[in-house]
Amino acid sequence: MTAAHGSQPPHDGDHEQDRHQFETSIQVSPPGTNDRPLRASASGEDRVLDEIAQRVLWLATSIIDRANRGRENPDGVKVGGHQSSSASMAGIMTALWFARLRSIDRVSVKPHASPVLHAINYLLGDLAEHHLDTLRSRGGLQPYPSRTKDPDTVDFSTGSVGIGATAPIWAALSHRYVSDRFPDTPRAGRFYSLLGDAEMDEGAVWEAIIDPEVRTLGEIVWIVDLNRQSLDRVIPDVQIKRLQGMFAAAGWQVLTCPWGRRLEAVFAAPGGQALKDRLVSMPNPEYQRLLRAHPTEVHDRLLAGLDESAATALRAVIDPFSPDEIASLIRDLGGHDLGQLVEAFEAIDDDRPTVVFAYTIKGKGLATEGHPGNHAAQLTEAQMRDLAAASGVDLDDPWVRFDPDTPAGRLCAQTAERLRREGHETHTVAEVPAELGFSPRPTISTQATLGRFLSDLKHVAPEVARRVVTVSPDVATSTNLGGWINKTGIWSPAGREDWFSDDRERVLKWQEGSRGQHIEMGIAEVNLVSLAGELGTTGSRWGQPLLPIATIYDPFINRALEPWTFSLYAGGRSIMVGTPSGVTLAPEGGAGRTSRSTRPRLLWRSRA
Ligand SMILES: Cc1ncc(C[n+]2csc(CCOP(=O)(O)OP(=O)(O)O)c2C)c(N)n1
């Protein structure tokens, strides 16, 4: 097999300059290797896992390389892909898949690590070889993990930053709901999110974390790929303390893997604290600069700016190491030490959600490692050949699996067997009647119509109504779900005492328990549509379809429209009712009602 390298049209000097100037989203000439070891993992103690991680790094990088330089591209238009973002996650995903994951667990993978997921699925026999050449081509592997379009096992679609990361929370809640309602629903395990650290800038993330039910979901695990780089830049401040505090305050278990075991051992040795203090107090950009420095410069850069006594203490720790050793030591981060990660995974509680902060280097093991402009950088052919040599494979024959008679081959086979998913029975929804026999008054508000519709549905089509679940962001009563709630009750995972059950003046019965068919959210429209979308996947995930209806004040649909359309792309089917729409309830004024049509925005367009 030969890669069609160099198939793009030749550029003369001027054109090349234009490309640099106008396509800053691709780094055309990536930085040099600078004598760094091209290793996916840091410590190299867990031989089989490390070997698999290296192959995963190789395959993921090659999938992108082939998309950009291995296919005919007559017009030379950018194809793209994110080798450095993928490299950052190769160790984390290898440790999770090959040492921890169970067949009942589900995982959301950060958008730019989709090649890592495909590489793992390929090693596990879940993806045929011919797909590996198709990333970002029509009908091929999707740019970002796609539950509906990719040919291999992808549990959650991601791509809209923050939305894919939070989807497992809503899937977990949906699974709890559907299991309460239909006890023969198949069991579920943990719901993992593997997210980028800059993803935590998204409001959707914090909107989800603050939801009061979320702190009770022990099946939620987030693993943050803390490479401290985003798309444009190195994250300027050290944020870890603030992030740890925010998760802890929300009731999460917080685990952190900052360093690998080799570096921990140096810290623990007499005087080693001096090196730890230096690394901990270093701003992110200074650390990144250290990663880009030639090994012979690292020693002096570590000492730069220290007063005499601090420099003396640090010298005592670092002087015994050669330049290569010290350069390798400062890269020994927890997110690349696979044994360390496996230990962290074993410490995860099941009675509250968990976040694991895994320190990583963006581009780990690639020539682009730690470079501030590496987000979309593509390795050159020469750099790919170096990586191939470091990975024990051949660039011209890139898609090698492990020999089944080797320890790595056996671990792949055992993992594939462990992750094999059981089939399940698929239930269907009874036929939805086209008419309910209800004639509305000539003039009636949309809110009154909705209330009447739900009430009639329960009488006319009880089997359909059994699968209806309503969701509302603190507007259940004003969107007129009161009658429905009185008949069906509120669902909450743990149930709650109804202190007003003996109050005769009460019109709305607010009884929370495991049998309810309404889920009440806070004023959180993104949470609302994300949950509605996941409630709409229970049929395809566990064979128990639901008919989710989200009610919302209609002007606020706009706020939630993008996450809602993303949930459609991800395979979620839900109905959103915006009231009071049109001209009814005009007394609500411009802030409380709208007559704008949102329909044109609901067309999902995708090139691939
Ligand atoms: C809602 C949304 N905004 C912006 C983007 C564009 N985008 C894709 S990845 C990315 C940076 C992600 O950084 P991080 O999560 O830290 O991942 P990594 O650095 O590991 O690639 C941005 C801004 C997007 N996909 N979705």
PDB file of all heavy atoms in Angstrom, residues 85 88 110 112 159-161 196-199 202 225 227 229-231 362 375, ligand 1:
ATOM      1  N   SER A  85      -4.599  17.505  19.101  1.00  0.00           N
ATOM      2  CA  SER A  85      -5.699  17.297  20.059  1.00  0.00           C
ATOM      3  C   SER A  85      -5.911  15.809  20.287  1.00  0.00           C
ATOM      4  O   SER A  85      -6.232  15.375  21.395  1.00  0.00           O
ATOM      5  CB  SER A  85      -7.000  17.884  19.522  1.00  0.00           C
ATOM      6  OG  SER A  85      -6.872  19.246  19.277  1.00  0.00           O
ATOM      7  N   SER A  88      -3.112  14.235  22.536  1.00  0.00           N
ATOM      8  CA  SER A  88      -3.302  14.578  23.934  1.00  0.00           C
ATOM      9  C   SER A  88      -4.117  13.509  24.674  1.00  0.00           C
ATOM     10  O   SER A  88      -3.926  13.255  25.858  1.00  0.00           O
ATOM     11  CB  SER A  88      -4.037  15.916  23.909  1.00  0.00           C
ATOM     12  OG  SER A  88      -4.190  16.500  25.107  1.00  0.00           O
ATOM     13  N   LYS A 110     -14.329  13.906  23.203  1.00  0.00           N
ATOM     14  CA  LYS A 110     -14.218  15.301  22.735  1.00  0.00           C
ATOM     15  C   LYS A 110     -14.076  15.310  21.207  1.00  0.00           C
ATOM     16  O   LYS A 110     -13.453  14.402  20.621  1.00  0.00           O
ATOM     17  CB  LYS A 110     -13.052  16.024  23.424  1.00  0.00           C
ATOM     18  CG  LYS A 110     -11.689  15.671  22.885  1.00  0.00           C
ATOM     19  CD  LYS A 110     -10.565  16.578  23.423  1.00  0.00           C
ATOM     20  CE  LYS A 110      -9.266  16.189  22.710  1.00  0.00           C
ATOM     21  NZ  LYS A 110      -8.096  16.947  23.108  1.00  0.00           N
ATOM     22  N   HIS A 112     -12.338  16.612  18.771  1.00  0.00           N
ATOM     23  CA  HIS A 112     -11.125  16.465  17.967  1.00  0.00           C
ATOM     24  C   HIS A 112     -10.359  15.180  18.249  1.00  0.00           C
ATOM     25  O   HIS A 112      -9.309  14.944  17.655  1.00  0.00           O
ATOM     26  CB  HIS A 112     -10.219  17.684  18.171  1.00  0.00           C
ATOM     27  CG  HIS A 112     -10.847  18.941  17.640  1.00  0.00           C
ATOM     28  ND1 HIS A 112     -11.910  18.910  16.775  1.00  0.00           N
ATOM     29  CD2 HIS A 112     -10.573  20.248  17.841  1.00  0.00           C
ATOM     30  CE1 HIS A 112     -12.261  20.147  16.469  1.00  0.00           C
ATOM     31  NE2 HIS A 112     -11.470  20.979  17.110  1.00  0.00           N
ATOM     32  N   GLY A 159     -19.041  17.761  18.908  1.00  0.00           N
ATOM     33  CA  GLY A 159     -18.646  18.699  17.857  1.00  0.00           C
ATOM     34  C   GLY A 159     -19.014  20.102  18.302  1.00  0.00           C
ATOM     35  O   GLY A 159     -18.232  21.030  18.173  1.00  0.00           O
ATOM     36  N   SER A 160     -20.213  20.229  18.858  1.00  0.00           N
ATOM     37  CA  SER A 160     -20.612  21.496  19.446  1.00  0.00           C
ATOM     38  C   SER A 160     -20.071  21.467  20.872  1.00  0.00           C
ATOM     39  O   SER A 160     -20.583  20.758  21.741  1.00  0.00           O
ATOM     40  CB  SER A 160     -22.134  21.603  19.443  1.00  0.00           C
ATOM     41  OG  SER A 160     -22.523  22.751  20.131  1.00  0.00           O
ATOM     42  N   VAL A 161     -18.994  22.216  21.073  1.00  0.00           N
ATOM     43  CA  VAL A 161     -18.265  22.144  22.335  1.00  0.00           C
ATOM     44  C   VAL A 161     -19.204  22.407  23.525  1.00  0.00           C
ATOM     45  O   VAL A 161     -20.017  23.322  23.478  1.00  0.00           O
ATOM     46  CB  VAL A 161     -17.086  23.147  22.280  1.00  0.00           C
ATOM     47  CG1 VAL A 161     -16.606  23.522  23.653  1.00  0.00           C
ATOM     48  CG2 VAL A 161     -15.953  22.564  21.458  1.00  0.00           C
ATOM     49  N   GLY A 196     -12.189  18.337  26.541  1.00  0.00           N
ATOM     50  CA  GLY A 196     -11.032  19.216  26.521  1.00  0.00           C
ATOM     51  C   GLY A 196     -11.172  20.252  27.626  1.00  0.00           C
ATOM     52  O   GLY A 196     -12.286  20.587  28.029  1.00  0.00           O
ATOM     53  N   ASP A 197     -10.032  20.767  28.114  1.00  0.00           N
ATOM     54  CA  ASP A 197     -10.139  21.716  29.234  1.00  0.00           C
ATOM     55  C   ASP A 197     -10.793  23.026  28.805  1.00  0.00           C
ATOM     56  O   ASP A 197     -11.552  23.622  29.572  1.00  0.00           O
ATOM     57  CB  ASP A 197      -8.783  21.957  29.915  1.00  0.00           C
ATOM     58  CG  ASP A 197      -7.663  22.343  28.969  1.00  0.00           C
ATOM     59  OD1 ASP A 197      -7.800  22.134  27.751  1.00  0.00           O
ATOM     60  OD2 ASP A 197      -6.636  22.844  29.456  1.00  0.00           O
ATOM     61  N   ALA A 198     -10.563  23.472  27.560  1.00  0.00           N
ATOM     62  CA  ALA A 198     -11.190  24.731  27.140  1.00  0.00           C
ATOM     63  C   ALA A 198     -12.701  24.566  26.979  1.00  0.00           C
ATOM     64  O   ALA A 198     -13.443  25.548  26.953  1.00  0.00           O
ATOM     65  CB  ALA A 198     -10.564  25.222  25.838  1.00  0.00           C
ATOM     66  N   GLU A 199     -13.144  23.327  26.910  1.00  0.00           N
ATOM     67  CA  GLU A 199     -14.581  23.067  26.814  1.00  0.00           C
ATOM     68  C   GLU A 199     -15.302  23.572  28.069  1.00  0.00           C
ATOM     69  O   GLU A 199     -16.497  23.857  28.038  1.00  0.00           O
ATOM     70  CB  GLU A 199     -14.787  21.554  26.644  1.00  0.00           C
ATOM     71  CG  GLU A 199     -15.918  21.229  25.746  1.00  0.00           C
ATOM     72  CD  GLU A 199     -15.953  19.788  25.238  1.00  0.00           C
ATOM     73  OE1 GLU A 199     -14.938  19.078  25.284  1.00  0.00           O
ATOM     74  OE2 GLU A 199     -17.033  19.400  24.788  1.00  0.00           O
ATOM     75  N   GLU A 202     -17.489  26.768  28.370  1.00  0.00           N
ATOM     76  CA  GLU A 202     -18.865  26.819  27.858  1.00  0.00           C
ATOM     77  C   GLU A 202     -19.891  26.910  28.985  1.00  0.00           C
ATOM     78  O   GLU A 202     -19.840  26.128  29.947  1.00  0.00           O
ATOM     79  CB  GLU A 202     -19.165  25.560  27.036  1.00  0.00           C
ATOM     80  CG  GLU A 202     -18.817  25.686  25.575  1.00  0.00           C
ATOM     81  CD  GLU A 202     -19.682  26.706  24.836  1.00  0.00           C
ATOM     82  OE1 GLU A 202     -20.723  27.119  25.368  1.00  0.00           O
ATOM     83  OE2 GLU A 202     -19.288  27.088  23.727  1.00  0.00           O
ATOM     84  N   ASP A 225      -9.099  16.396  29.762  1.00  0.00           N
ATOM     85  CA  ASP A 225      -7.794  16.368  29.102  1.00  0.00           C
ATOM     86  C   ASP A 225      -7.183  17.759  29.297  1.00  0.00           C
ATOM     87  O   ASP A 225      -7.398  18.667  28.508  1.00  0.00           O
ATOM     88  CB  ASP A 225      -8.068  16.049  27.621  1.00  0.00           C
ATOM     89  CG  ASP A 225      -6.864  16.192  26.735  1.00  0.00           C
ATOM     90  OD1 ASP A 225      -5.757  16.364  27.253  1.00  0.00           O
ATOM     91  OD2 ASP A 225      -7.044  16.121  25.502  1.00  0.00           O
ATOM     92  N   ASN A 227      -4.761  19.878  28.840  1.00  0.00           N
ATOM     93  CA  ASN A 227      -3.512  20.211  28.128  1.00  0.00           C
ATOM     94  C   ASN A 227      -3.234  21.712  28.132  1.00  0.00           C
ATOM     95  O   ASN A 227      -2.247  22.163  27.576  1.00  0.00           O
ATOM     96  CB  ASN A 227      -3.510  19.633  26.705  1.00  0.00           C
ATOM     97  CG  ASN A 227      -4.643  20.169  25.844  1.00  0.00           C
ATOM     98  OD1 ASN A 227      -5.087  21.299  26.015  1.00  0.00           O
ATOM     99  ND2 ASN A 227      -5.111  19.362  24.908  1.00  0.00           N
ATOM    100  N   GLN A 229      -4.170  24.083  26.538  1.00  0.00           N
ATOM    101  CA  GLN A 229      -4.182  24.805  25.265  1.00  0.00           C
ATOM    102  C   GLN A 229      -5.602  24.746  24.728  1.00  0.00           C
ATOM    103  O   GLN A 229      -6.293  23.739  24.910  1.00  0.00           O
ATOM    104  CB  GLN A 229      -3.260  24.133  24.250  1.00  0.00           C
ATOM    105  CG  GLN A 229      -1.797  24.407  24.478  1.00  0.00           C
ATOM    106  CD  GLN A 229      -0.944  23.911  23.318  1.00  0.00           C
ATOM    107  OE1 GLN A 229      -0.155  23.002  23.486  1.00  0.00           O
ATOM    108  NE2 GLN A 229      -1.111  24.501  22.147  1.00  0.00           N
ATOM    109  N   SER A 230      -6.004  25.819  24.047  1.00  0.00           N
ATOM    110  CA  SER A 230      -7.311  25.797  23.387  1.00  0.00           C
ATOM    111  C   SER A 230      -7.041  25.852  21.889  1.00  0.00           C
ATOM    112  O   SER A 230      -6.000  25.385  21.430  1.00  0.00           O
ATOM    113  CB  SER A 230      -8.169  26.957  23.882  1.00  0.00           C
ATOM    114  OG  SER A 230      -7.527  28.186  23.616  1.00  0.00           O
ATOM    115  N   LEU A 231      -7.965  26.410  21.122  1.00  0.00           N
ATOM    116  CA  LEU A 231      -7.736  26.469  19.679  1.00  0.00           C
ATOM    117  C   LEU A 231      -6.665  27.518  19.357  1.00  0.00           C
ATOM    118  O   LEU A 231      -5.705  27.256  18.642  1.00  0.00           O
ATOM    119  CB  LEU A 231      -9.064  26.793  18.976  1.00  0.00           C
ATOM    120  CG  LEU A 231      -9.148  26.622  17.465  1.00  0.00           C
ATOM    121  CD1 LEU A 231     -10.602  26.430  17.039  1.00  0.00           C
ATOM    122  CD2 LEU A 231      -8.561  27.784  16.702  1.00  0.00           C
ATOM    123  N   LYS A 362      -0.629  18.814  24.780  1.00  0.00           N
ATOM    124  CA  LYS A 362      -1.277  18.752  23.464  1.00  0.00           C
ATOM    125  C   LYS A 362      -0.207  18.405  22.425  1.00  0.00           C
ATOM    126  O   LYS A 362       0.843  19.052  22.368  1.00  0.00           O
ATOM    127  CB  LYS A 362      -1.929  20.108  23.166  1.00  0.00           C
ATOM    128  CG  LYS A 362      -2.824  20.109  21.951  1.00  0.00           C
ATOM    129  CD  LYS A 362      -3.820  21.244  22.050  1.00  0.00           C
ATOM    130  CE  LYS A 362      -4.557  21.495  20.762  1.00  0.00           C
ATOM    131  NZ  LYS A 362      -5.640  22.486  20.939  1.00  0.00           N
ATOM    132  N   HIS A 375      -2.862  23.447  17.068  1.00  0.00           N
ATOM    133  CA  HIS A 375      -4.234  22.915  17.091  1.00  0.00           C
ATOM    134  C   HIS A 375      -4.590  22.175  15.799  1.00  0.00           C
ATOM    135  O   HIS A 375      -5.123  21.073  15.836  1.00  0.00           O
ATOM    136  CB  HIS A 375      -5.241  24.038  17.353  1.00  0.00           C
ATOM    137  CG  HIS A 375      -6.643  23.538  17.508  1.00  0.00           C
ATOM    138  ND1 HIS A 375      -7.080  22.904  18.657  1.00  0.00           N
ATOM    139  CD2 HIS A 375      -7.700  23.540  16.664  1.00  0.00           C
ATOM    140  CE1 HIS A 375      -8.348  22.547  18.512  1.00  0.00           C
ATOM    141  NE2 HIS A 375      -8.745  22.923  17.308  1.00  0.00           N
TER     142      HIS A 375
HETATM  143  C1  LIG B   1     -19.732  25.778  20.533  1.00  0.00           C
HETATM  144  C2  LIG B   1     -18.411  25.712  19.824  1.00  0.00           C
HETATM  145  N1  LIG B   1     -17.615  26.807  19.793  1.00  0.00           N
HETATM  146  C3  LIG B   1     -16.424  26.760  19.168  1.00  0.00           C
HETATM  147  C4  LIG B   1     -16.007  25.621  18.541  1.00  0.00           C
HETATM  148  C5  LIG B   1     -14.670  25.609  17.808  1.00  0.00           C
HETATM  149  N2  LIG B   1     -13.679  24.837  18.587  1.00  0.00           N
HETATM  150  C6  LIG B   1     -13.467  23.554  18.336  1.00  0.00           C
HETATM  151  S1  LIG B   1     -12.322  22.886  19.352  1.00  0.00           S
HETATM  152  C7  LIG B   1     -12.053  24.341  20.119  1.00  0.00           C
HETATM  153  C8  LIG B   1     -11.024  24.418  21.216  1.00  0.00           C
HETATM  154  C9  LIG B   1     -11.155  23.259  22.118  1.00  0.00           C
HETATM  155  O1  LIG B   1     -10.155  23.270  23.088  1.00  0.00           O
HETATM  156  P1  LIG B   1     -10.089  22.078  24.100  1.00  0.00           P
HETATM  157  O2  LIG B   1     -11.464  21.698  24.501  1.00  0.00           O
HETATM  158  O3  LIG B   1      -9.156  22.434  25.178  1.00  0.00           O
HETATM  159  O4  LIG B   1      -9.550  20.882  23.234  1.00  0.00           O
HETATM  160  P2  LIG B   1      -8.073  20.626  22.696  1.00  0.00           P
HETATM  161  O5  LIG B   1      -7.236  21.820  23.028  1.00  0.00           O
HETATM  162  O6  LIG B   1      -7.604  19.438  23.410  1.00  0.00           O
HETATM  163  O7  LIG B   1      -8.242  20.407  21.240  1.00  0.00           O
HETATM  164  C10 LIG B   1     -12.880  25.325  19.598  1.00  0.00           C
HETATM  165  C11 LIG B   1     -12.895  26.723  20.060  1.00  0.00           C
HETATM  166  C12 LIG B   1     -16.879  24.501  18.580  1.00  0.00           C
HETATM  167  N3  LIG B   1     -16.570  23.343  17.989  1.00  0.00           N
HETATM  168  N4  LIG B   1     -18.048  24.560  19.246  1.00  0.00           N
END
